[in-house]
Protein backbone atom coordinates (compact mmCIF):
# COMPACT_ATOMS: atom_id res chain seq x y z
CA UNK A 1 0.00 0.00 0.00
CA UNK A 2 1.17 3.53 -0.59
CA UNK A 3 -0.11 6.67 1.00
CA UNK A 4 -1.20 9.27 -1.48
CA UNK A 5 -2.72 12.70 -1.32
CA UNK A 6 -3.51 15.37 -3.84
CA UNK A 7 -5.51 18.43 -4.65
CA UNK A 8 -6.76 20.63 -7.48
CA UNK A 9 -5.03 23.86 -8.43
CA UNK A 10 -6.85 25.95 -5.80
CA UNK A 11 -7.03 23.24 -3.12
CA UNK A 12 -10.83 23.23 -2.71
CA UNK A 13 -10.94 19.59 -3.80
CA UNK A 14 -8.53 17.28 -2.04
CA UNK A 15 -8.12 13.56 -1.61
CA UNK A 16 -6.09 11.12 0.38
CA UNK A 17 -5.80 7.42 0.75
CA UNK A 18 -3.75 4.36 1.39
CA UNK A 19 -3.90 2.65 -1.97
CA UNK A 20 -2.96 -0.47 -3.84
CA UNK A 21 -3.21 0.81 -7.43
CA UNK A 22 -4.94 -1.54 -9.86
CA UNK A 23 -2.99 0.06 -12.69
CA UNK A 24 -1.12 3.19 -13.59
CA UNK A 25 -1.24 4.39 -17.13
CA UNK A 26 -1.27 7.12 -19.72
CA UNK A 27 -4.36 7.35 -21.88
CA UNK A 28 -3.88 8.86 -25.33
CA UNK A 29 -7.56 8.76 -26.35
CA UNK A 30 -9.17 11.84 -27.86
CA UNK A 31 -11.21 12.62 -24.76
CA UNK A 32 -8.15 12.43 -22.48
CA UNK A 33 -6.19 14.63 -24.87
CA UNK A 34 -8.89 17.29 -24.76
CA UNK A 35 -9.06 17.10 -20.98
CA UNK A 36 -5.35 17.11 -20.28
CA UNK A 37 -3.92 20.08 -22.10
CA UNK A 38 -1.38 17.61 -23.48
CA UNK A 39 -1.47 14.52 -25.67
CA UNK A 40 -2.45 12.19 -22.85
CA UNK A 41 -3.94 12.01 -19.37
CA UNK A 42 -2.01 10.13 -16.66
CA UNK A 43 -4.29 8.03 -14.47
CA UNK A 44 -3.72 6.22 -11.19
CA UNK A 45 -6.52 3.69 -10.82
CA UNK A 46 -7.44 2.70 -7.27
CA UNK A 47 -10.39 0.98 -5.56
CA UNK A 48 -13.06 3.49 -4.48
CA UNK A 49 -12.83 2.46 -0.83
CA UNK A 50 -9.11 3.27 -0.66
CA UNK A 51 -9.43 6.96 -1.45
CA UNK A 52 -11.53 9.74 0.07
CA UNK A 53 -12.27 12.88 -1.92
CA UNK A 54 -13.47 16.07 -0.24
CA UNK A 55 -14.71 19.28 -1.79
CA UNK A 56 -17.30 20.27 -4.33
CA UNK A 57 -16.90 18.84 -7.80
CA UNK A 58 -18.73 19.28 -11.08
CA UNK A 59 -19.45 16.10 -13.02
CA UNK A 60 -19.37 15.91 -16.79
CA UNK A 61 -20.21 12.61 -18.49
CA UNK A 62 -19.39 11.37 -21.97
CA UNK A 63 -20.04 8.14 -23.84
CA UNK A 64 -16.85 6.14 -24.43
CA UNK A 65 -16.06 3.93 -27.46
CA UNK A 66 -17.46 0.98 -25.52
CA UNK A 67 -20.82 2.71 -25.29
CA UNK A 68 -20.41 3.00 -21.53
CA UNK A 69 -20.54 6.27 -19.64
CA UNK A 70 -17.33 7.85 -18.41
CA UNK A 71 -17.62 10.72 -15.93
CA UNK A 72 -15.05 13.42 -15.33
CA UNK A 73 -14.97 15.42 -12.09
CA UNK A 74 -13.70 18.98 -11.87
CA UNK A 75 -13.21 21.47 -9.05
CA UNK A 76 -16.11 23.95 -9.23
CA UNK A 77 -13.76 26.81 -8.31
CA UNK A 78 -10.63 26.34 -10.43
CA UNK A 79 -11.78 23.82 -13.02
CA UNK A 80 -8.96 21.33 -12.52
CA UNK A 81 -9.91 17.77 -13.33
CA UNK A 82 -9.25 15.64 -10.25
CA UNK A 83 -10.62 12.20 -11.15
CA UNK A 84 -12.71 10.08 -13.48
CA UNK A 85 -15.10 7.21 -13.03
CA UNK A 86 -16.31 4.67 -15.56
CA UNK A 87 -19.48 2.62 -15.81
CA UNK A 88 -17.45 -0.46 -16.82
CA UNK A 89 -15.28 -0.32 -13.67
CA UNK A 90 -17.71 1.09 -11.08
CA UNK A 91 -15.54 0.08 -8.12
CA UNK A 92 -12.57 2.13 -9.30
CA UNK A 93 -11.55 5.77 -9.06
CA UNK A 94 -9.27 7.06 -11.83
CA UNK A 95 -7.16 9.71 -10.16
CA UNK A 96 -5.61 12.29 -12.48
CA UNK A 97 -1.94 11.85 -11.60
CA UNK A 98 -1.01 15.48 -12.22
CA UNK A 99 -3.03 16.42 -9.11
CA UNK A 100 -0.89 14.29 -6.76
CA UNK A 101 0.95 16.23 -4.05
CA UNK A 102 3.98 14.09 -4.90
CA UNK A 103 3.66 13.32 -8.61
CA UNK A 104 6.66 10.99 -8.37
CA UNK A 105 4.58 8.32 -6.59
CA UNK A 106 3.04 7.69 -10.01
CA UNK A 107 4.88 5.49 -12.53
CA UNK A 108 3.04 4.80 -15.78
CA UNK A 109 3.08 1.09 -16.61
CA UNK A 110 0.81 1.05 -19.63
CA UNK A 111 -0.20 3.32 -22.48
CA UNK A 112 -3.76 3.16 -23.77
CA UNK A 113 -5.08 4.25 -27.17
CA UNK A 114 -1.63 4.50 -28.72
CA UNK A 115 -3.42 4.44 -32.09
CA UNK A 116 -4.71 7.94 -31.31
CA UNK A 117 -1.47 9.37 -29.93
CA UNK A 118 -0.34 12.64 -31.51
CA UNK A 119 3.16 12.90 -33.01
CA UNK A 120 4.28 15.36 -30.34
CA UNK A 121 3.30 13.17 -27.39
CA UNK A 122 4.02 9.53 -28.22
CA UNK A 123 3.56 6.64 -25.74
CA UNK A 124 6.48 6.35 -23.38
CA UNK A 125 8.88 3.56 -24.38
CA UNK A 126 9.04 2.23 -20.82
CA UNK A 127 5.32 1.35 -20.88
CA UNK A 128 3.40 -1.62 -22.26
CA UNK A 129 1.58 -0.11 -25.22
CA UNK A 130 -1.99 -0.96 -26.24
CA UNK A 131 -3.44 0.27 -29.52
CA UNK A 132 -6.81 0.82 -27.82
CA UNK A 133 -7.96 -0.71 -24.52
CA UNK A 134 -6.54 -4.04 -23.25
CA UNK A 135 -9.99 -5.66 -23.16
CA UNK A 136 -10.46 -5.10 -26.88
CA UNK A 137 -6.99 -6.37 -27.87
CA UNK A 138 -7.78 -9.73 -29.43
ZN1 LIG B 1 -9.80 23.94 -7.31
ZN1 LIG C 1 -8.62 8.27 -22.33
Amino acid sequence: MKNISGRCLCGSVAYQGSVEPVFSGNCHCTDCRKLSGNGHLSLLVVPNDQVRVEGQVKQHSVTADSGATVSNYFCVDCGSQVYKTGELMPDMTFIVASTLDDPEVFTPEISLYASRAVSWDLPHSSTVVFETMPASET
Side-chain angles (χ1 to χ4, degrees):
M1 304 289 274
K2 44 174 119 167
N3 291 317
I4 61 161
S5 63
R7 63 206 66 246
C8 63
L9 177 62
C10 75
S12 295
V13 179
Y15 59 85
Q16 58 181 349
S18 180
V19 302
E20 192 71 65
V22 178
F23 68 85
S24 300
N26 293 331
C27 185
H28 293 259
C29 83
T30 308
D31 290 354
C32 286
R33 169 161 53 85
K34 293 199 180 259
L35 286 163
S36 71
N38 201 336
H40 71 274
L41 199 60
S42 294
L43 297 163
L44 180 68
V45 183
V46 303
N48 294 340
D49 58 6
Q50 292 180 0
V51 67
R52 197 176 77 239
V53 183
E54 290 177 331
Q56 201 185 349
V57 291
K58 172 159 173 51
Q59 177 182 350
H60 180 266
S61 297
V62 294
T63 302
D65 281 359
S66 60
T69 301
V70 172
S71 297
N72 297 296
Y73 298 85
F74 307 85
C75 170
V76 295
D77 290 325
C78 71
S80 304
Q81 187 184 4
V82 182
Y83 64 103
K84 286 166 109 75
T85 58
E87 192 182 6
L88 293 181
M89 296 176 74
D91 300 331
M92 300 294 156
T93 299
F94 295 64
I95 296 171
V96 175
S98 57
T99 62
L100 287 162
D101 287 332
D102 177 8
E104 297 297 337
V105 302
F106 173 80
T107 306
E109 293 158 353
I110 59 174
S111 293
L112 301 172
Y113 282 100
S115 58
R116 297 188 191 167
V118 292
S119 63
W120 40 267
D121 188 18
L122 295 171
H124 203 280
S125 59
S126 67
T127 62
V128 177
V129 177
F130 294 92
E131 287 301 300
T132 56
M133 290 289 279
S136 58
E137 299 272 307
T138 51

